[in-house]
């Protein structure tokens, strides 16, 4: 699954711009981005589920602004958000022979100082949502897939950022909420009027955010300054566990911004075996990191030329797909067949690593959340868990 990502060194409310303008549907069938150069930008849809990827340009009557967002749907149409003077308009674009068809969906007005942006693609690919963050409250809007244009579906006290889907039904949404000077992740139930429950609380004085989630295994990637005050660390845990978050030392790369962007799906009973793809930005450009919670090292891969940095997805079989665009190949997908989990060499005198200890987001023990009666995950604060389980290796 692909989701919005964070650079630990610069965690803030504006951290979720589309990766190089490229967004991929949850099922991997389509992608969309702003193509072109300079001020001559236009939406472009990529079809990824055929024998070979190909791109279809969707230009409008005038070039798009650089802040415009595009968002693919599962039926091949592309949602576009344009903004001007606090007014955000939404349309669906689709190819019509030599031209581009456009279906107007409506608009949302927001005061100056408030932010509105599209959330990552929802499971199913039929609906699209946006998050509007004000100073005292935030609103989740259904902007595509509803019956009457943009619909307000949830109102959350506090200023929210982030956005990670926790289930396959597109009902449970994790957001990072700022309140009283601290940021904690909460879960919003979109089918219960936007009911809000706490999700992640590692320590009272820490800022704790959810970066990625895999609904199949329950694996979560989080960012927190709990283990090292003043430094944001990457950690992992499992929804449903009562054990605290683990912060692997191998995810700390001095001088680099480490940003997870995709988790291997369909690993239902083995969250510690899920492969995670990370974007590594350093002095010499971007590379790709591959890591599994069960391992004690990160494997680094060269990024393909023209990689739309931060965009990609895993297949259930463990193949990493990375979209790229070059003058010679304007629509390409690189395939990295990453080896199965490889045990890291043990440190001299160290005992083998025990089974992974994870996390702070927990739901009821009686099976997975179902679409009819899902239960919002609840937190297990770190101070209530065995302190020896805060692992940083």
């Amino acid at each position: 699954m692909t989701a919005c990502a964070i650079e630990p060194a610069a965690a803030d409310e504006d951290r979720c711009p589309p990766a190089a303008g490229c967004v991929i549907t949850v099922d991997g069938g389509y992608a969309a981005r702003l193509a072109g150069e300079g001020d001559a930008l236009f939406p472009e849809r990529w079809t990824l589920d055929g024998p070979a990827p190909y791109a279809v340009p969707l230009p409008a009557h005038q070039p798009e602004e650089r802040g415009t967002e595009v968002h693919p749907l599962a039926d091949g149409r592309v949602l576009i958000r344009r903004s001007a003077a606090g007014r955000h308009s939404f349309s669906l674009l689709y190819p019509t022979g030599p031209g581009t068809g456009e279906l107007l969906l409506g608009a949302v007005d927001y005061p100056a100082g408030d932010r509105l942006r599209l959330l990552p693609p929802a499971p199913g690919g039929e609906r699209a949502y946006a998050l509007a963050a004000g100073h005292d409250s935030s609103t989740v809007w259904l902007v595509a897939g509803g019956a009457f244009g943009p619909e307000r579906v949830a109102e959350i006290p506090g200023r929210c950022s982030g956005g990670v889907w926790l289930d396959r039904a597109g009902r449970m949404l994790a957001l990072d909420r700022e309140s009283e000077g601290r940021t904690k992740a909460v879960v919003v139930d979109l089918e219960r009027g936007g009911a809000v429950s706490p999700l992640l609380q590692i320590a009272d004085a820490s800022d704790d955010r959810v970066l990625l989630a895999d609904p199949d295994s329950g694996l979560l990637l989080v960012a927190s300054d709990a283990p090292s005050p003043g430094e944001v660390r990457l950690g992992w845990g499992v929804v449903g566990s009562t054990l605290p978050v683990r912060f692997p030392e191998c995810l700390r790369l001095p001088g680099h911004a480490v940003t997870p962007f995709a988790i291997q799906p369909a690993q239902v009973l083995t969250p510690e075996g899920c492969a995670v793809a990370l974007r590594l930005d350093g002095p010499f450009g971007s590379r790709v990191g591959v890591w599994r919670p069960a391992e004690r090292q990160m494997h680094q891969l060269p990024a393909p030329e023209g990689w739309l940095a931060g965009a990609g997805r895993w297949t259930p079989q463990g193949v990493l797909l990375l979209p790229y665009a070059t003058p010679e190949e304007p629509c390409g997908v690189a395939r990295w067949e990453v080896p199965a989990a490889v045990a890291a060499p043990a440190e001299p005198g160290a005992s083998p690593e025990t089974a992974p200890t994870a996390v702070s987001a927990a739901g009821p023990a009686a099976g997975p959340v179902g679409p009819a009666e899902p239960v919002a995950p609840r937190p297990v604060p770190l101070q209530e868990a065995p302190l020896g389980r805060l692992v940083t290796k």
Side-chain angles (χ1 to χ4, degrees):
M1 132 175 295
T2 301
C4 94
I6 184 173
E7 295 184 357
D12 59 37
E13 63 188 23
D14 300 332
R15 72 177 190 270
C16 292
C22 182
V23 181
I24 306 174
T25 56
V26 173
D27 65 4
Y30 292 99
R33 70 174 187 131
L34 282 184
E37 297 181 358
D39 294 329
L41 300 178
F42 59 90
E44 186 176 73
R45 186 195 71 189
W46 289 25
T47 299
L48 303 177
D49 58 357
Y54 65 91
V56 175
L58 297 171
H61 60 279
Q62 64 183 23
E64 304 294 345
E65 299 289 336
R66 188 159 294 276
T68 297
E69 291 184 284
V70 292
H71 185 105
L73 299 182
D75 61 7
R77 294 181 296 177
V78 172
L79 173 69
I80 187 168
R81 180 193 66 84
R82 303 180 178 104
S83 63
R87 184 174 178 83
H88 304 268
S89 61
F90 303 91
S91 299
L92 289 175
L93 306 179
Y94 52 93
T96 56
T100 301
E102 181 167 352
L103 175 63
L104 301 179
L105 298 178
V108 174
D109 292 319
Y110 256 80
D114 290 0
R115 289 184 49 81
L116 186 146
R117 59 173 176 78
L118 295 176
L119 287 168
E126 298 175 354
R127 296 185 169 195
Y129 295 85
L131 175 66
H135 180 72
D136 298 318
S137 66
S138 301
T139 305
V140 177
W141 289 86
L142 173 64
V143 296
F148 307 105
E151 302 175 20
R152 188 193 307 260
V153 295
E155 188 82 21
I156 305 104
R159 188 174 181 90
C160 293
S161 59
V164 175
W165 297 101
L166 300 178
D167 65 343
R168 291 290 182 190
R171 173 173 179 173
M172 312 302 283
L173 174 67
L175 296 173
D176 303 324
R177 180 173 65 177
E178 181 182 348
S179 179
E180 299 181 351
R182 294 296 175 189
T183 299
K184 304 291 183 183
V186 298
V187 59
V188 180
D189 188 338
L190 299 183
E191 292 190 12
R192 291 182 55 203
V196 179
S197 302
L199 176 63
L200 185 66
Q201 178 178 315
I202 300 179
D204 288 339
S206 62
D207 291 319
D208 310 315
R209 297 173 169 88
V210 172
L211 309 184
L212 291 178
D214 175 58
D216 299 324
S217 64
L219 179 64
L220 297 179
L221 270 291
V222 306
S224 175
D225 58 1
S228 304
E231 176 190 3
V232 178
R233 295 281 302 273
L234 293 181
W236 70 278
V238 179
V239 173
S241 172
T242 57
L243 298 176
V245 176
R246 165 170 288 185
F247 294 89
E249 191 68 23
C250 66
L251 297 184
R252 300 175 79 183
L253 295 181
H256 291 71
V258 181
T259 311
F261 64 88
I263 300 177
Q264 181 184 1
Q267 311 299 301
V268 177
L269 300 178
T270 56
E272 69 279 1
C274 291
V276 178
L278 308 102
R279 172 180 172 179
L280 314 177
D281 292 311
F284 303 104
S286 298
R287 291 175 63 83
V288 179
V290 173
W291 164 81
R292 293 177 176 86
E295 301 180 18
R296 289 191 291 176
Q297 66 178 357
M298 181 197 303
H299 306 277
Q300 295 193 29
L301 308 171
E305 181 183 358
W307 178 38
L308 304 180
R313 65 179 295 267
W314 289 98
T315 69
Q317 295 74 32
V319 178
L320 180 59
L321 308 178
L322 301 174
Y324 66 90
T326 64
E328 297 77 21
E329 192 169 0
C331 179
V333 176
R335 298 171 57 91
W336 295 103
E337 296 191 13
V338 180
V342 179
E347 299 177 4
S351 59
E353 189 171 17
T354 59
T357 60
V359 69
S360 64
V369 171
E373 290 294 333
V375 179
R378 59 179 178 82
V380 178
L382 179 62
Q383 58 265 34
E384 296 180 10
L387 294 179
R389 299 287 180 81
L390 176 57
V391 181
T392 57
K393 292 184 178 181

